[in-house]
Short mmCIF file of all heavy atoms in Angstrom, two decimals:
data_model
loop_
_atom_site.label_atom_id
_atom_site.label_comp_id
_atom_site.label_asym_id
_atom_site.label_seq_id
_atom_site.Cartn_x
_atom_site.Cartn_y
_atom_site.Cartn_z
N ILE A 11 3.54 17.07 32.47
CA ILE A 11 3.28 18.49 32.76
C ILE A 11 1.74 18.55 32.68
O ILE A 11 1.05 17.79 32.20
CB ILE A 11 3.98 19.44 31.85
CG1 ILE A 11 3.75 19.19 30.52
CG2 ILE A 11 5.44 19.41 32.25
CD1 ILE A 11 4.39 20.16 29.55
N ASP A 12 1.24 19.64 33.22
CA ASP A 12 -0.18 19.82 33.31
C ASP A 12 -0.88 19.46 31.94
O ASP A 12 -0.45 19.90 30.86
CB ASP A 12 -0.56 21.39 33.63
CG ASP A 12 -1.93 21.58 33.82
OD1 ASP A 12 -2.79 21.57 32.93
OD2 ASP A 12 -2.23 21.66 35.05
N PRO A 13 -1.93 18.58 32.06
CA PRO A 13 -2.58 18.09 30.84
C PRO A 13 -3.14 19.17 29.94
O PRO A 13 -3.02 19.14 28.78
CB PRO A 13 -3.71 17.33 31.39
CG PRO A 13 -3.37 17.00 32.70
CD PRO A 13 -2.55 18.03 33.24
N GLU A 14 -3.60 20.37 30.58
CA GLU A 14 -4.09 21.44 29.74
C GLU A 14 -2.94 22.08 28.96
O GLU A 14 -3.04 22.55 27.83
CB GLU A 14 -4.81 22.45 30.58
CG GLU A 14 -6.25 22.01 31.00
CD GLU A 14 -6.93 23.14 31.76
OE1 GLU A 14 -6.86 24.23 31.34
OE2 GLU A 14 -7.37 22.86 32.85
N VAL A 15 -1.69 22.19 29.62
CA VAL A 15 -0.54 22.86 28.95
C VAL A 15 -0.16 21.85 27.86
O VAL A 15 0.19 22.34 26.71
CB VAL A 15 0.50 22.99 29.92
CG1 VAL A 15 1.90 23.48 29.17
CG2 VAL A 15 0.17 23.98 30.97
N THR A 16 -0.12 20.55 28.07
CA THR A 16 0.33 19.60 27.11
C THR A 16 -0.71 19.67 25.81
O THR A 16 -0.16 19.76 24.77
CB THR A 16 0.29 18.15 27.62
OG1 THR A 16 1.16 18.10 28.75
CG2 THR A 16 0.72 17.12 26.60
N GLU A 17 -1.96 19.73 26.16
CA GLU A 17 -2.91 19.88 25.12
C GLU A 17 -2.77 21.14 24.35
O GLU A 17 -2.83 21.14 23.04
CB GLU A 17 -4.36 19.82 25.80
CG GLU A 17 -5.45 19.40 24.75
CD GLU A 17 -5.29 18.14 23.93
OE1 GLU A 17 -4.68 17.14 24.52
OE2 GLU A 17 -5.43 18.15 22.69
N MET A 18 -2.43 22.29 25.02
CA MET A 18 -2.29 23.42 24.27
C MET A 18 -1.05 23.36 23.43
O MET A 18 -1.12 23.67 22.24
CB MET A 18 -2.10 24.58 25.27
CG MET A 18 -1.90 26.04 24.57
SD MET A 18 -0.37 26.38 23.98
CE MET A 18 0.67 26.54 25.42
N LEU A 19 0.07 22.79 23.89
CA LEU A 19 1.23 22.67 23.10
C LEU A 19 0.90 21.58 21.89
O LEU A 19 1.38 21.98 20.65
CB LEU A 19 2.33 22.03 23.93
CG LEU A 19 2.93 23.08 24.96
CD1 LEU A 19 4.02 22.39 25.87
CD2 LEU A 19 3.71 24.20 24.11
N ARG A 20 0.02 20.64 22.14
CA ARG A 20 -0.18 19.76 21.17
C ARG A 20 -0.90 20.37 19.93
O ARG A 20 -0.79 20.04 18.87
CB ARG A 20 -1.05 18.51 21.59
CG ARG A 20 -1.02 17.34 20.76
CD ARG A 20 -1.67 16.14 21.51
NE ARG A 20 -0.94 15.56 22.62
CZ ARG A 20 -1.37 15.17 23.79
NH1 ARG A 20 -2.68 15.17 24.08
NH2 ARG A 20 -0.56 14.63 24.64
N GLY A 21 -1.82 21.39 20.33
CA GLY A 21 -2.52 22.06 19.32
C GLY A 21 -1.88 23.31 18.74
O GLY A 21 -2.26 23.71 17.64
N ARG A 22 -0.88 23.77 19.44
CA ARG A 22 -0.19 25.02 18.95
C ARG A 22 1.17 25.06 18.58
O ARG A 22 1.64 25.80 17.76
CB ARG A 22 -0.37 25.98 20.12
CG ARG A 22 -1.80 26.37 20.54
CD ARG A 22 -2.54 27.31 19.56
NE ARG A 22 -3.86 27.82 20.07
CZ ARG A 22 -5.03 27.14 19.56
NH1 ARG A 22 -4.85 26.37 18.56
NH2 ARG A 22 -6.16 27.61 20.03
N TYR A 23 1.87 24.12 19.30
CA TYR A 23 3.41 24.03 19.05
C TYR A 23 3.69 23.28 17.73
O TYR A 23 3.50 21.93 17.63
CB TYR A 23 4.10 23.38 20.22
CG TYR A 23 5.58 23.45 20.02
CD1 TYR A 23 6.30 24.57 20.33
CD2 TYR A 23 6.31 22.31 19.39
CE1 TYR A 23 7.63 24.66 20.06
CE2 TYR A 23 7.72 22.41 19.26
CZ TYR A 23 8.29 23.53 19.53
OH TYR A 23 9.71 23.63 19.33
N ASN A 24 4.04 24.08 16.76
CA ASN A 24 4.42 23.41 15.44
C ASN A 24 3.26 22.42 15.07
O ASN A 24 3.64 21.34 14.48
CB ASN A 24 5.76 22.77 15.52
CG ASN A 24 6.82 23.64 15.64
OD1 ASN A 24 6.67 24.96 15.57
ND2 ASN A 24 8.01 23.26 15.98
N ALA A 25 2.00 22.77 15.23
CA ALA A 25 0.92 21.87 14.92
C ALA A 25 0.88 21.61 13.33
O ALA A 25 0.80 22.43 12.57
CB ALA A 25 -0.44 22.42 15.40
N PRO A 26 0.99 20.35 13.06
CA PRO A 26 1.11 20.01 11.51
C PRO A 26 -0.09 20.21 10.80
O PRO A 26 -1.16 19.85 11.35
CB PRO A 26 1.58 18.49 11.49
CG PRO A 26 1.90 18.19 12.94
CD PRO A 26 1.22 19.14 13.81
N PRO A 27 -0.12 20.77 9.64
CA PRO A 27 -1.37 20.74 8.91
C PRO A 27 -1.58 19.45 8.14
O PRO A 27 -0.83 18.52 8.46
CB PRO A 27 -0.92 21.86 7.70
CG PRO A 27 0.44 21.71 7.56
CD PRO A 27 1.00 21.28 8.99
N GLU A 28 -2.63 19.33 7.32
CA GLU A 28 -2.85 18.02 6.64
C GLU A 28 -1.62 17.71 5.84
O GLU A 28 -1.01 18.58 5.22
CB GLU A 28 -4.08 18.27 5.87
CG GLU A 28 -4.55 16.87 5.29
CD GLU A 28 -5.99 17.01 4.46
OE1 GLU A 28 -6.55 18.01 4.61
OE2 GLU A 28 -6.19 16.22 3.63
#
Side-chain angles (χ1 to χ4, degrees):
Chain A
I11 53 177
D12 189 283
E14 286 185 48
V15 173
T16 304
E17 196 53 42
M18 185 282 289
L19 286 171
R20 201 172 285 142
R22 298 279 185 262
Y23 183 81
N24 296 349
E28 189 176 343

